[in-house]
Amino acid sequence: MEFTKSTHRKNWTFDENEIIQRRSMIQFSEDVPSGWDIEKEHQLRTFYEYKTIEICHASMRDPEKVSATAIIYLKRFYLVHSVTIHHPAVMMLTCIYLAGKVEECRIQADELARHFDAKLVKPEEILKSELILLTALKYSLDCYHPFKPFDGFIADMDRKGLDFFSGQKDDKVEELKQQARSLLTPAGSDLSFMFSPSQIALAVLRLFAPNTDSLNAYISQACRDSPSELPRLETSLRLIEQKLRRKDQRPSHERIAEMEKFFLRR
């Protein structure tokens, strides 16, 4: 199925103002500590987005796709619910558990729970939370990622004789690819809500392209039959590039440990 016809596009694509509005309407727990706000929610959510990558790489044979799907599920869930009501450690593991099934790379709940102290996460909590997660996701499990278009664009440019890597040595090419792929993860930004995977992939390629002339020529050639699309695409790519440069970094363990004292008191 194409992205444009998917439930990802239909149910989970928003503009930036709508994302802000939805998050502003989230209800915190009644016993939330004084001073808790949307920014603390954001930091805790971001920490567990990056934690998802760490756990998937430690547990999965196909960590890239499973972690990306799990992070998108986590983002969608916390567009509806507050971290003060549903602990992100439990929901993160539930997202990984579900993503593993969807991406045909299954992992057991008890294996996932071992990544945390038993006082914080139990396997049965992951299993019970799956229905809560599915309900919040509206059973829309489609997730489209920029990894495949990223590789596809590079291969297509190569077939068309466009020198994307501008004569770089093989080891440098691999280094550039790995640096670029690290930006394709949905952790630390809302790009997966706002843009198509192909647009994100193109923007990342532009950020890392040793030869931007070749890439820009490729983009112009792709829009040759719809020239009116080129200015709109250019606007989207510039906005994505700006957001990629300001992508949220993973908050420190110390900062998160201080926030999580709230959960330990409950």
Side-chain angles (χ1 to χ4, degrees), residues 48-49 51-74 91-108 112 141 143 145 147 181 185-187:
Y48 280 99
E49 289 173 11
K51 184 73 173 175
T52 301
I53 300 172
E54 178 186 315
I55 290 177
C56 286
H57 276 268
S59 310
M60 299 276 187
R61 57 178 166 77
D62 186 14
E64 188 176 68
K65 192 171 183 181
V66 175
S67 67
T69 296
I71 291 167
I72 287 180
Y73 289 166
L74 195 65
M91 296 315 304
M92 173 197 65
L93 295 179
T94 307
C95 289
I96 296 173
Y97 178 72
L98 179 59
K101 292 196 286 187
V102 169
E103 302 297 351
E104 300 182 352
C105 187
R106 290 172 179 265
I107 185 168
Q108 298 302 314
L112 287 169
L141 303 182
C143 286
H145 306 298
F147 305 113
R181 288 186 82 86
T185 171

Side-chain angles (χ1 to χ4, degrees), residues 77-266:
F77 183 81
Y78 286 120
L79 207 59
V80 180
H81 295 289
S82 168
V83 299
T84 63
I85 296 175
H86 299 279
H87 194 298
V90 175
M91 296 315 304
M92 173 197 65
L93 295 179
T94 307
C95 289
I96 296 173
Y97 178 72
L98 179 59
K101 292 196 286 187
V102 169
E103 302 297 351
E104 300 182 352
C105 187
R106 290 172 179 265
I107 185 168
Q108 298 302 314
D110 57 348
E111 185 178 346
L112 287 169
R114 290 190 197 113
H115 289 276
F116 287 88
D117 189 299
K119 294 179 181 178
L120 185 60
V121 181
K122 296 179 175 62
E124 54 268 29
E125 289 182 281
I126 297 173
L127 298 175
K128 285 197 306 183
S129 297
E130 187 177 18
L131 181 58
I132 298 171
L133 174 61
L134 285 166
T135 302
L137 298 178
K138 304 174 186 175
Y139 291 85
S140 298
L141 303 182
D142 284 350
C143 286
Y144 285 72
H145 306 298
F147 305 113
K148 189 172 181 179
F150 175 85
D151 293 332
F153 287 139
I154 292 175
D156 193 38
M157 288 179 67
D158 187 54
R159 283 194 298 270
K160 292 176 178 176
L162 295 170
D163 188 9
F164 176 73
F165 288 107
S166 191
Q168 299 285 331
K169 294 181 180 179
D170 288 347
D171 56 345
K172 183 62 176 176
V173 168
E174 287 307 310
E175 181 184 340
L176 285 170
K177 281 185 180 179
Q178 290 306 312
Q179 290 175 353
R181 288 186 82 86
S182 69
L183 277 184
L184 296 176
T185 171
S189 80
D190 286 327
L191 292 174
S192 62
F193 285 133
M194 300 169 62
F195 299 98
S196 73
S198 295
Q199 289 174 324
I200 297 169
L202 277 176
V204 169
L205 282 170
R206 283 221 307 201
L207 285 177
F208 284 87
N211 185 353
T212 54
D213 289 342
S214 290
L215 183 57
N216 287 334
Y218 175 74
I219 294 171
S220 297
Q221 187 180 41
C223 294
R224 183 177 52 198
D225 295 333
S226 305
S228 62
E229 291 295 318
L230 186 58
R232 286 197 288 269
L233 176 59
E234 181 64 31
T235 299
S236 294
L237 294 180
R238 287 179 179 173
L239 183 56
I240 296 168
E241 288 166 19
Q242 290 172 8
K243 291 185 176 300
L244 286 169
R245 291 189 182 97
R246 299 198 303 267
K247 202 172 190 183
D248 294 318
Q249 300 303 304
R250 180 174 179 168
S252 69
H253 284 273
E254 293 77 15
R255 175 68 176 143
I256 296 304
E258 184 65 29
M259 291 184 195
E260 290 192 321
K261 289 179 181 177
F262 160 67
F263 297 103
L264 298 175
R265 292 196 300 267
R266 298 175 77 179

